[in-house]
Amino acid sequence: MQGPAANVPLRPPNARHTINGVRPTSRSSDKNTMVMPGTDVAGDLADISGGRARWVPESNTYEVNGRSYKVEPTGTVFPVSGPGLVNLSRSEYKVLKELVGAEGDVTAARDALRRDPSVSDPDWTMALEVFRHHKSYRGDA
C-alpha cells in the first residue's frame, strides 16, 4: 500500500464534515467538504485500508468509488470530492453553521448574517440545499 494509510490507522472524518455534526462553533476552511447522508465513507475507508483504493501522489489523495480523500498525519481522513460530497466555500459554510445554530429558523439565521459582507445571496442557495438534510430542517427553506 502506498501513501499515509500504509503507516497509520485511518480515522473517520471530523464531525464537521457531516451535516448533523456541524455546530455553530465548527472550524471553517476556505473549502469545506460535506458528506451527504447515504454516502458510505466507512466503506471507502475500509477500501483504502484494504489497499483497494488508488493512491494519487501528485495530489496526495486516495481515490475510491469515485470519491477522493486526503489523510492527515494523525490518520484522520477528510473528504475532498466526488459523488455524495458537496464542497462549500467559507461563506456557504458560515451560512450553514448559522442555520444549525438557529435550529432551522431561516429568518433568524438571515437576521444574524444580514450585515456580514462576506455572505451573499448565492451563499444561501448552496447552504440551504445542504441544510435540507439536517435533523432540524423544518421544511420552510
Side-chain angles (χ1 to χ4, degrees):
M1 177 183 308
Q2 295 179 317
N7 303 317
V8 295
L10 297 182
R11 297 172 38 198
N14 185 288
R16 77 177 200 85
H17 293 287
T18 63
I19 186 63
N20 289 315
V22 173
R23 302 285 176 261
T25 57
S26 293
R27 182 180 57 83
S28 299
S29 297
D30 287 336
K31 182 178 174 185
N32 303 275
T33 307
M34 301 299 303
V35 177
M36 300 308 291
T39 305
D40 188 11
V41 173
D44 291 347
L45 296 186
D47 286 346
I48 293 170
S49 295
R52 295 178 295 277
R54 185 169 76 92
W55 171 246
V56 183
E58 298 81 21
S59 60
N60 291 318
T61 58
Y62 287 97
E63 292 181 355
V64 61
N65 301 318
R67 290 180 280 277
S68 297
Y69 297 91
K70 289 194 176 198
V71 179
E72 296 175 348
T74 61
T76 301
V77 174
F78 63 96
V80 176
S81 64
L85 305 176
V86 175
N87 293 313
L88 299 180
S89 68
R90 182 181 298 275
S91 296
E92 291 166 337
Y93 195 73
K94 184 185 285 189
V95 171
L96 179 61
K97 291 189 314 181
E98 195 63 45
L99 288 164
V100 168
E103 297 181 356
D105 185 339
V106 177
T107 302
R110 283 192 184 276
D111 287 345
L113 293 173
R114 188 169 314 284
R115 295 177 189 250
D116 187 329
S118 70
V119 175
S120 63
D121 285 339
D123 298 324
W124 282 90
T125 303
M126 182 57 81
L128 285 166
E129 281 299 314
V130 172
F131 183 70
R132 285 188 170 94
H133 299 278
H134 191 269
K135 61 188 174 190
S136 67
Y137 176 66
R138 299 178 183 178
D140 58 352

